[in-house]
Amino acid sequence: MGIVGSSFFTLMAFAGIALALLNGIPMNMGAGINNDGRNILMLSRSARNRRLFIRSLQIIGELGHGIQPKDMPKEWFSSELPTGGNDYFGIVSYISYISLLEDEGLWNEACIAYEQLNNVKPKLPLLFSLETASEHILTELLTQNRQDIVEKLWTKQAEKYTTSNYKYSPCKLAALYAIELLHNKNEKKALQLYEELQRRKDMFYLPGETAMALSISHQIRAVHIKQIRQR
C-alpha cells in the first residue's frame, strides 16, 4: 500500500527542494525531506544506503512496467527495521517491504510492520507519518479493526494530506474506500471512491501499483460483505 509513497521519497532523494544556492550544502529541509547535498553525503558514507537506494529504483522501474511487488524478486525487499526516524533510506526500504506484505495478502504482518515503523526512535519525520497513515489504517480495518486505533491514526492532518494526494495514488484511493466502507459505514461515499478508482485506473503513473490497488479494493469489498452476513 505504501509503495507509491516509497517511490515518491526515492525520487525526492535527488529532487532538491531548496534554493539552488543552498542545494549543494548537506541539509535537512524539514518534514522528512533531505536536500541533494545531504542525500549524496548519506549515500557516499554507506554501502548499505547505496544498496537500498538502488533496490528502490529497481522497484519503481518494475511498477512502471505494470509488475506488482509480489511478482518481483523477493531479495529486493528488506524486512530490516530502520534504525530511527533519521534513517531515510531505511524507512523508504521498509515501506516497500510493507507493500509487499500487503500485495501478498499478509495483512496481519503488514499491520504489525506499520506499528513497528511508527515506534522507531527517534520518531518518524512528519511527512513519512502522513504518507503512511491511510495505509496503516487500511491494514487495521482488514485485521483487528480496532476503532480507537483508527481514530488515533486518522487525524485531521492525516485526512487532509490523504484527500489532497489520492488523485496521484491508487492505493490511497483504495484506503479511503476502506475507511468509508468499513469505518464510517458510508456506502454511498465508498461507492463513489470505488468508481473513481475504476475510472482513473489508466491515468495513474505506476501501473503495477494500480493493479495492486484494484486487487485490494476487491478484498475490502469481500470483508464488507462478510461483515454484513455476520450481523
Side-chain angles (χ1 to χ4, degrees), residues 48 51-52 77-83 87 90-91 93-94 97:
R48 174 254 194 185
R51 173 175 54 81
L52 294 180
F77 301 89
S78 174
S79 60
E80 177 187 353
L81 196 65
T83 58
D87 184 8
I91 295 171
S93 173
Y94 198 68
Y97 166 68

Side-chain angles (χ1 to χ4, degrees), residues 13 18 21 37 46 52 55 66 78 84 98 108 116 118 130 159 166-167 178 187-188:
L21 291 177
S46 170
L52 294 180
R55 291 302 192 201
S78 174
I98 297 176
N108 283 302
Q116 292 175 331
N118 285 335
L130 294 176
E159 182 179 3
Y166 78 84
K167 291 185 179 180
E187 293 191 24
K188 181 178 179 180

Side-chain angles (χ1 to χ4, degrees), residues 1 35 40 53:
M1 178 61 70
N35 76 331
I40 292 172
F53 181 61

